[in-house]
Amino acid sequence: MGSGIAETVIESGFQATLLSRTSETAHAMGEAIKSSFERKTAKERKTVIRAEEELSRLNVTNQITDLADCDLVIETVVEDLEVKLRVIKNLDAVCKADAIIATNTSTFPIIDLAMATQRPDKVCGIHFFNPAQVMKLIEIVKTLVVSEETIQTATSFALSCNKEPVIVKDQAGFIVNALLFPYLNNAVKLLEQGVAAKEDIDTAMKGGCGFPMGPFALLDLVGLDTALSILNSLYDEFKDPNFAPAMLLKRMVTAGMLGRKNGFGFYSY
Ligand code: 3HC
């Protein structure tokens, strides 16, 4: 998600700094963007000169201090509240006082992250969708304490990235995940019940509802660990049994089957 967002940001004319944990992972993320640009130039979606100009506005690093001068920082670390809190606190210490710190969390309460900083009025959700380079929607998530100026800047940023922003209040799952994940979870339950094969469930939802991907292909794209974390957060917030993660999903994550990201999920890659 991080490299997808950085790709979108440099294509939209901004300067971007892409921070990753190690120099190796930072390098790999930069290479992923270069490969994507090579595919786009091969398909004549952009010229080589344009790709070079856009890449010249990208800095990849593993040094958090390189974010000190950024106006807007978007964290996209793993969907684990403790990790996110640690990262947000470190960003708060390093980033300039008037910078906006946004989170791309799928479901965690933004207020928990905002209150861990010295600038809760400058913290909001900027939630992209997978694959971030392609999907048009951005959910801008508004806490009880965020300033209007922060929300306006986040909205202008989304529009400048040629995305469609919607404003949503700080409630688990926001709009899309609150509606999407019960559906994905119920698809796993149907599979557990032996109602149909996964391929047939995917075919049914594509052909019967016009969805671009079936639920199992989509779960693999999102990542099974991320999906499990989203369902757990929804269940924590609402205590609605419909959000309780399907047993099979939990077992697959424990077994290290995470989807496309490691090559094994409902399908093999
Ligand atoms: N990463 C980057 N780019 C990708 C990609 C990926 N994983 N998959 C496809 N693309 C690009 C292709 O390169 C292509 O670009 P081009 O038009 O410049 O050539 C474009 O997307 C279309 O790809 P394809 O023609 O190969 O395939 P499709 O037309 O089937 O589109 C799709 C692929 C965009 C992934 C489409 O299947 C789709 O929209 N799927 C549903 C995705 C979805 O629901 N996402 C939301 C998930 S929920 C979420 O993210 C929330 C979070 O909190 C978990």
Side-chain angles (χ1 to χ4, degrees):
M1 192 60 118
S3 61
I5 295 173
E7 183 174 331
T8 302
V9 167
I10 58 171
E11 285 186 321
S12 306
F14 295 104
Q15 189 86 32
T17 300
L18 182 53
L19 172 73
S20 191
R21 271 173 294 186
T22 64
S23 54
E24 288 77 23
T25 53
H27 178 75
M29 289 172 91
E31 289 301 306
I33 298 177
K34 274 189 204 153
S35 308
S36 174
F37 279 12
E38 276 161 19
R39 278 195 301 277
K40 286 178 185 175
T41 50
K43 285 184 185 173
E44 298 185 352
R45 294 278 160 85
K46 69 166 86 212
T47 62
V48 174
I49 291 174
R50 181 156 171 205
E52 280 171 2
E53 189 278 317
E54 288 170 350
L55 284 169
S56 74
R57 283 187 275 100
L58 177 70
N59 170 31
V60 290
T61 180
N62 65 341
Q63 300 297 317
I64 194 168
T65 44
D66 286 348
L67 301 181
D69 291 331
C70 292
D71 298 313
L72 169 66
V73 178
I74 305 172
E75 78 70 24
T76 64
V77 298
V78 65
E79 206 59 17
D80 174 320
L81 189 56
E82 261 182 46
V83 177
K84 283 200 185 283
L85 282 168
R86 196 171 63 237
V87 168
I88 287 276
K89 283 181 193 164
N90 290 341
L91 289 172
D92 190 37
V94 160
C95 296
K96 61 184 182 183
D98 59 348
I100 292 177
I101 300 181
T103 169
N104 184 51
T105 181
S106 303
T107 43
F108 290 129
I110 312 293
I111 193 73
D112 288 359
L113 300 169
M115 298 312 284
T117 71
Q118 302 301 310
R119 60 181 97 195
D121 59 317
K122 296 190 180 64
V123 178
C124 68
I126 298 186
H127 184 212
F128 288 77
F129 291 82
N130 263 301
Q133 308 90 316
V134 181
M135 304 305 282
K136 290 300 271 183
L137 183 69
I138 292 185
E139 289 175 324
I140 308 281
V141 190
K142 204 173 169 177
T143 67
L144 292 174
V145 297
V146 72
S147 71
E148 262 318 305
E149 195 188 345
T150 299
I151 296 300
Q152 273 170 22
T153 306
T155 306
S156 309
F157 164 74
L159 290 169
S160 303
C161 293
N162 197 25
K163 301 286 186 190
E164 287 168 1
V166 293
I167 311 258
V168 52
K169 84 172 184 187
D170 185 19
Q171 175 174 303
F174 318 128
I175 301 170
V176 173
N177 287 346
L179 295 173
L180 177 65
F181 277 82
Y183 151 70
L184 296 177
N185 198 32
N186 282 321
V188 182
K189 289 180 185 169
L190 272 193
L191 183 66
E192 281 176 335
Q193 290 158 12
V195 170
K198 59 180 185 279
E199 293 83 359
D200 286 343
I201 298 175
D202 274 354
T203 300
M205 295 313 291
K206 286 194 287 179
C209 295
F211 290 177
M213 293 176 126
F216 298 107
L218 184 53
L219 279 163
D220 280 353
L221 175 68
V222 167
L224 272 51
D225 50 343
T226 303
L228 180 59
S229 168
I230 292 171
L231 285 161
N232 281 329
S233 297
L234 285 165
Y235 185 71
D236 278 353
E237 180 104 311
F238 300 108
K239 303 288 182 287
D240 178 340
N242 200 32
F243 293 130
M247 188 76 76
L248 176 61
L249 182 64
K250 292 197 277 190
R251 295 293 178 270
M252 288 176 76
V253 172
T254 308
M257 299 167 77
L258 306 182
R260 281 197 198 191
K261 68 175 85 170
N262 72 345
F264 302 99
F266 287 98
Y267 299 100
S268 295
Y269 299 88

